[in-house]
């Protein structure tokens, strides 16, 4: 069964068990999905309200963007665990001969790259999601302002959690160009995403 098909309690119990996956990567993707899902909710609570008629088109655009991003984030919950399972599968490969050892080493490097790309893609989604949340500042239902703030907090947690998962996988990769590329890309996302999340949160805080 896919993680996204589990009930909340079952997912949390599996997360809390001694099973190595799901772990922080899938949890980060879930946090991201909850964050952008809240933004979609706030947009939906704005659409059709006379008080916010001037922001109707903006709210519809926000809702549609958020819906797409939420779906992609949900898919990422399983993608991260599947990538980890790919790494785990390499340990079962034979290593008796030099050829088997070489094949195993090559497979591990490929698996670690996949395990890096999964959380990195979550980082990208988080940044795009935070930009979408920002689109709602001052232009959405004020009764749900706190939810927009929680959206930013969830997305900040998600992007930082995904970054930790990028780093731990990069640590085992021998391809220096790959490591350098994704460290630089990840740091660039953090440099933009974290201040943005904080600005959104502070803006909401001041409005309450």
């Amino acid at each position: 069964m896919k993680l996204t098909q589990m009930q909340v309690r079952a997912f949390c119990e599996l997360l809390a068990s001694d099973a190595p996956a799901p772990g922080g990567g899938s949890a980060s993707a879930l946090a991201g999905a909850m964050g952008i899902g809240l933004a979609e909710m706030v947009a939906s609570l704005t659409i059709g309200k006379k008080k916010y008629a001037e922001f109707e088109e903006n709210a519809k655009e926000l809702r549609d963007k958020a819906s797409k991003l939420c779906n992609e984030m949900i898919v990422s919950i399983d993608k991260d665990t599947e990538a980890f399972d790919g790494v785990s599968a390499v340990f079962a490969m034979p290593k008796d001969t030099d050829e088997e050892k070489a094949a195993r080493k090559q497979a591990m490097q490929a698996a670690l790259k996949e395990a890096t790309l999964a959380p990195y893609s979550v980082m990208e989604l988080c940044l795009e999601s935070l930009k979408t949340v920002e689109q709602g500042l001052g232009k959405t239902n004020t009764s749900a302002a706190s939810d927009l703030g929680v959206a930013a907090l969830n997305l900040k947690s998600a992007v930082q959690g995904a970054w930790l998962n990028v780093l731990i996988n990069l640590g085992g990769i021998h391809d220096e160009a790959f490591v350098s590329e994704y460290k630089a890309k990840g740091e660039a996302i953090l440099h933009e995403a974290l201040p943005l999340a904080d600005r959104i949160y502070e803006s909401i805080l001041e409005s309450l």
Side-chain angles (χ1 to χ4, degrees), residues 3 11 14-16 19-30 77 80-81 84 161 165:
L3 297 173
F11 177 87
L14 179 59
L15 192 67
S26 289
S28 296
L30 176 57
I77 296 172
D80 190 88
T81 291
F84 177 84
N165 281 269

Side-chain angles (χ1 to χ4, degrees), residues 149-170:
V150 176
L153 291 173
N154 271 272
L155 287 163
K156 182 180 181 181
S157 172
V159 73
Q160 289 181 297
W163 176 233
L164 293 178
N165 281 269
V166 167
L167 289 177
I168 198 167
N169 288 300
L170 285 177

Side-chain angles (χ1 to χ4, degrees), residues 30-47:
L30 176 57
M34 290 192 297
I36 194 60
L38 282 168
E40 183 179 353
M41 180 194 77
V42 174
S44 296
L45 290 171
T46 304
I47 295 167

Side-chain angles (χ1 to χ4, degrees), residues 32 67 69 96 109 122 127 139 145 182 187 199:
S67 177
L69 288 164
D96 298 322
Q109 289 299 300
V122 171
L127 177 56
K139 299 177 181 179
Y182 282 93
E187 287 170 353
R199 286 198 304 273

